[in-house]
Amino acid sequence: MNATTFATVEDAFAANALPVVLYARLGGQPLAVTEVTVHHSVDRAIGTCTAICAAPRPALLELNAELEIEVGYPGASRRVFWGTVDADESITDDSGRFVRLQGRDWAHALSYPEPDGIELAGPISLKDAFRALCELREVPSYLADETTAVDGVTTIMLGGNPDIDGGNVRIDADTAPLDWLRDVSELYGYRVFGAPDGSVRLARVSGLAQRDPGATPVRFAEGENVFRIRRSRALRGMATFIEVLGARYTASDGGAVAIRAIPDVVPYDARLDPPGYVPDSVSSQAIVTDQQAQWVRNAAEVDRAAPYELLSWEFAGRADLQPGDVATLHAPNHGIEETDIWLIDIDQSVDSRGYIGRYRGWRGGGQALAAGNDCVTARVPTSGAIHAGTQTIGYYRKPSPDSHKNDDGDWVVSVPITVSNAGYSSLRLTGICHGTNSIKNRTTITGSAVEVWQLDDPSLPESGTNERNRVGSVALPTADEELSRRRDYARSDRYWQAFSLPLPGSLKGGAAELRIVCGESDGGEIDDFELDDLRLAMCGVGMPVLPGSAGDV
Amino acid sequence: MAGSQTRFADIPLRVLSPGRGAQIADGWSRASHVASEHVPGSNRTITFVLGSGPYEAEWRIECLADDYAALAEAVQTTATLVLPHGTQNAPGTVVDEFGDLYDHIAGVTLLGVSRETTHRTNRGMAVQANARFRVTG
């Protein structure tokens, strides 16, 4: 007669008689425990453990002592918890005297803020940011997937916007690295969590579950190795029109910028009828580039464009499984046939019921959508080029000047515009120009600018109580005047210069006025210049093609 | 209880077999801790083997009245139980006591005594009772 020993975890998993082994080490020394429960989840960053031992408290038992739990079967046991004791209590009741230990795994090393905040040199990949923070906090064991966008190829880079924290990634003094990591990684379809093997992991849990190349996932099958199973589906949480809102900041040219990403077309989904789609938004100041916003949008679309489908089951514990692993589930009575799913929760317990593993799996789904245009661009209604100034110049596109002298003595051109949507996050004037803030042959002056004026209430006529006010102004770029060269501005754009100017101030929806103001040199010469192809680019107001709307496909 | 070296701690006692008067009624037993879970939709049942419980025994014993009083006081205490060698299966140490072999089983807890009956013997009043022991050491 030989004591049962398994050569592999697979062998144990196939056996019907399973001798359970349970080992605990406290401060590196063996500790006799009678029961243990451990919880790990991709959605719960810190893994936890509860263990029971006989009272009185062992001499080894100090708060913050290292605690390690190993369970399984002879020859097939694995570590299922590694961390420290963060609480204990001794209890006497009719069931006896015992001590309950509470443990938390090493992810807790990331759970307190840095007094001065943390700055990571950017741009930096999500993976490297995770590794840097784990190193900073001396996490004993950590493991990171390659962090890529939904395409599986493009590395997710954080930071990189020179107008925000100099392009670096900053974690403020009130934010724990773990909170930051959890929030940021989730934006891109990744999770940060403590795993039963004692490592802190950054793993992709997004989209359809994909097994590692060459790996055969653990298979659970109804009628073979499942004690109980359930499958649930819910539309709650489903969203097919994802709007991503990132950082709002002032660019180096003074323009207000708000990062935003939307899809081009929102597909119709009969499960969401009416109206056939569900909108939702994801916002984070950690999204600092348009590219990042698109990655976040794609990840959210992949994960939320399908009903949230959870599968939960129980079987004999298997200590080599980790959250974030892929398992294959076969449950024909539940409509699941040989389907790969993400393991998102693993709860394991050893007690009088034996060694039970309780698993929750998520069948990812959904599809990323093509990017939509977040900006609405409208041509400024002018009849061709605008010649601001006072001189008639034959080689200009429009030789005769449009400016008139206003009551303030400024030479201006008034251009009426309409603000079609007051909910914009940034407004820019784009176009081409030549000769701005420059006279004669490349003599730089100042004062040529674009001012924005609007009535207090644009819907009412101008009156003593509804006055026209200057909302803001922005200087035009310096585009060299080249008098002696007499450039041919009329027939081509070759000698024109493109510009994109942020229009300051906050405009209401409705009528407004652009005033193109001519600068004046110290000698009193008025700047002559031309503007053409003027457009107002209003960002933050774009909308995708929605089901049922014009342009629906 | 002349000639008897059977004792718990220093309290002499005789182990009776109910109705038969043998020295030892039944051997020690150990609970086998197992848990079973059936896999629905199959003929498969997983049996978790969780180990054995401690040796336990419950015997009918007899003591003189004074000794029984001491035994009753000894409930929930742990001591060495001495039984004639070869009559039990719990782990113990064989000791030669004046030519007779005895098993000394250390770390035995007297869990309880019950169903006492009193009767007169030629040595005085004696008490018979059920005594439950567990090897806890």
Side-chain angles (χ1 to χ4, degrees):
Chain A
M1 183 182 68
N2 294 320
T4 303
T5 300
F6 300 102
T8 65
V9 175
E10 287 294 341
D11 288 347
F13 205 52
N16 290 337
L18 294 170
V20 177
V21 297
L22 167 60
Y23 308 109
R25 285 176 282 277
L26 186 64
Q29 300 298 311
L31 175 71
V33 297
T34 55
E35 292 179 23
V36 69
T37 305
V38 293
H39 303 283
H40 294 92
S41 170
V42 300
D43 294 322
R44 198 169 40 211
I46 301 176
T48 59
C49 162
T50 301
I52 305 290
C53 69
R57 280 178 173 80
L60 292 167
L61 181 49
E62 297 286 347
L63 290 177
N64 213 29
E66 184 179 323
L67 177 64
E68 186 179 7
I69 304 289
E70 182 180 330
V71 302
Y73 315 103
S77 63
R78 297 285 187 278
R79 178 198 285 161
V80 295
F81 179 84
W82 187 26
T84 58
V85 176
D86 69 324
D88 70 13
E89 63 177 338
S90 54
I91 300 164
T92 298
D93 61 21
D94 284 342
S95 64
R97 292 187 293 268
F98 53 93
V99 178
R100 179 182 290 126
L101 292 73
Q102 307 275 2
R104 55 183 180 173
D105 70 15
W106 294 113
H108 83 266
L110 295 163
S111 66
Y112 59 93
E114 197 74 13
D116 297 325
I118 299 169
E119 191 155 290
L120 303 170
I124 184 172
S125 71
L126 174 58
K127 175 182 179 179
D128 286 344
F130 168 79
R131 289 155 52 126
L133 293 171
C134 287
E135 282 291 315
L136 176 72
R137 290 296 170 82
E138 299 179 338
V139 173
S141 173
Y142 57 86
L143 186 64
D145 285 357
E146 292 298 329
T147 47
T148 60
V150 167
D151 63 9
V153 176
T154 310
T155 300
I156 294 167
M157 301 299 290
L158 307 176
N161 185 332
D163 293 328
I164 300 176
D165 295 324
N168 297 327
V169 173
R170 177 150 188 85
I171 303 169
D172 65 45
D174 295 327
T175 304
L178 187 61
D179 294 334
W180 182 87
L181 277 171
R182 191 184 57 206
D183 292 348
V184 171
S185 62
E186 195 167 340
L187 292 172
Y188 299 97
Y190 287 78
R191 300 287 195 281
V192 172
F193 55 92
D197 66 2
S199 62
V200 178
R201 295 190 175 204
L202 169 66
R204 182 191 186 98
V205 183
S206 177
L208 291 172
Q210 290 180 331
R211 58 181 71 179
D212 292 333
T216 303
V218 175
R219 180 177 179 273
F220 292 91
E222 188 181 9
E224 293 180 32
N225 57 5
V226 168
F227 292 148
R228 49 194 63 80
I229 185 170
R230 63 176 62 182
R231 175 191 181 198
S232 62
R233 298 186 300 171
L235 294 177
R236 189 177 64 249
M238 190 175 167
T240 52
F241 168 17
I242 302 290
E243 176 190 37
V244 174
L245 302 171
R248 301 176 75 95
Y249 64 99
T250 302
S252 55
D253 63 4
V257 179
I259 305 284
R260 182 172 182 257
I262 55 170
D264 185 28
V265 177
V266 174
Y268 170 78
D269 192 314
R271 294 168 296 195
L272 304 174
D273 194 6
Y277 68 98
V278 170
D280 200 1
S281 65
V282 177
S283 61
S284 171
Q285 290 296 310
I287 301 167
V288 297
T289 67
D290 290 335
Q291 177 65 79
Q292 290 165 5
Q294 298 296 351
W295 288 334
V296 170
R297 180 177 63 80
N298 286 159
E301 285 164 352
V302 163
D303 290 341
R304 299 187 57 192
Y308 195 66
E309 188 168 330
L310 273 181
L311 301 119
S312 53
W313 68 97
E314 286 184 22
F315 190 57
R318 184 173 166 136
D320 61 340
L321 292 176
Q322 316 293 323
D325 284 355
V326 173
T328 301
L329 196 60
H330 182 62
N333 290 318
H334 297 267
I336 301 290
E337 300 218 5
E338 305 294 350
T339 302
D340 285 353
I341 57 174
W342 298 108
L343 280 174
I344 59 171
D345 294 351
I346 299 180
D347 292 347
Q348 303 175 79
S349 63
V350 176
D351 55 23
S352 59
R353 281 190 59 201
Y355 173 25
I356 303 292
R358 297 171 189 84
Y359 307 95
R360 279 212 307 167
W362 171 55
R363 188 160 75 165
Q367 190 174 358
L369 303 175
N373 187 356
D374 177 43
C375 300
V376 172
T377 302
R379 183 178 288 276
V380 175
T382 62
S383 53
I386 294 172
H387 176 173
T390 57
Q391 304 175 54
T392 297
I393 303 174
Y395 55 88
Y396 269 29
R397 186 167 287 177
K398 188 174 187 189
S400 57
D402 295 317
S403 298
H404 65 275
K405 199 168 191 176
N406 67 8
D407 295 342
D408 298 328
D410 294 326
W411 288 91
V412 301
V413 180
S414 287
V415 180
I417 60 170
T418 301
V419 179
S420 57
N421 190 329
Y424 68 87
S425 56
S426 70
L427 183 65
R428 300 186 82 86
L429 178 68
T430 65
I432 55 175
C433 64
H434 70 82
T436 49
N437 280 317
S438 179
I439 60 173
K440 300 178 181 172
N441 284 303
R442 302 186 178 184
T443 301
T444 301
I445 66 165
T446 58
S448 294
V450 176
E451 295 178 350
V452 186
W453 292 72
Q454 194 173 42
L455 293 171
D456 289 336
D457 184 348
S459 65
L460 298 174
E462 187 171 0
S463 67
T465 55
N466 189 31
E467 296 182 349
R468 187 177 300 271
N469 295 307
R470 184 168 60 188
V471 178
S473 69
V474 59
L476 284 162
T478 300
D480 289 336
E481 184 75 68
E482 296 174 305
L483 180 64
S484 59
R485 294 192 175 184
R486 303 174 68 85
R487 300 289 194 192
D488 182 2
Y489 297 114
R491 283 193 288 185
S492 85
D493 296 341
R494 180 179 174 189
Y495 299 107
W496 294 66
Q497 174 180 319
F499 68 88
S500 174
L501 298 174
L503 291 183
S506 178
L507 288 168
K508 303 180 178 76
E513 176 192 350
L514 292 182
R515 281 189 193 170
I516 299 161
V517 182
C518 296
E520 189 173 339
S521 72
D522 293 341
E525 293 170 279
I526 304 300
D527 187 17
D528 270 82
F529 58 89
E530 284 188 299
L531 306 177
D532 202 355
D533 197 21
L534 294 181
R535 296 167 193 266
L536 279 176
M538 203 173 292
C539 292
V541 295
M543 284 292 288
V545 178
L546 298 171
S549 65
D552 187 10
V553 291
Chain B
M1 298 298 149
S4 171
Q5 296 300 318
T6 303
R7 58 192 184 274
F8 177 73
D10 291 327
I11 305 165
L13 54 86
R14 254 183 88 206
V15 177
L16 307 174
S17 173
R20 290 191 288 121
Q23 185 73 351
I24 297 295
D26 298 302
W28 297 81
S29 63
R30 301 179 73 179
S32 176
H33 292 288
V34 296
S36 298
E37 284 268 9
H38 178 244
V39 176
S42 76
N43 293 326
R44 188 179 183 197
T45 295
I46 302 296
T47 301
F48 292 107
V49 179
L50 301 170
S52 298
Y55 284 100
E56 283 192 4
E58 181 169 345
W59 296 309
R60 192 75 180 160
I61 55 99
E62 183 181 84
C63 305
L64 292 176
D66 289 347
D67 291 335
Y68 183 77
L71 190 68
E73 284 292 311
V75 168
Q76 292 201 356
T77 65
T78 301
T80 297
L81 179 66
V82 178
L83 297 171
H85 174 59
T87 58
Q88 56 85 37
N89 55 355
T93 304
V94 181
V95 177
D96 186 337
E97 294 188 0
F98 310 109
D100 293 321
L101 295 179
Y102 285 84
D103 290 324
H104 285 223
I105 309 165
V108 174
T109 301
L110 176 59
L111 297 180
V113 292
S114 62
R115 297 183 58 204
E116 302 159 9
T117 59
T118 304
H119 59 98
R120 184 178 300 279
T121 70
N122 56 2
R123 288 178 48 84
M125 296 300 293
V127 178
Q128 291 187 1
N130 287 2
R132 193 151 56 92
F133 298 98
R134 175 182 289 176
V135 180
T136 56

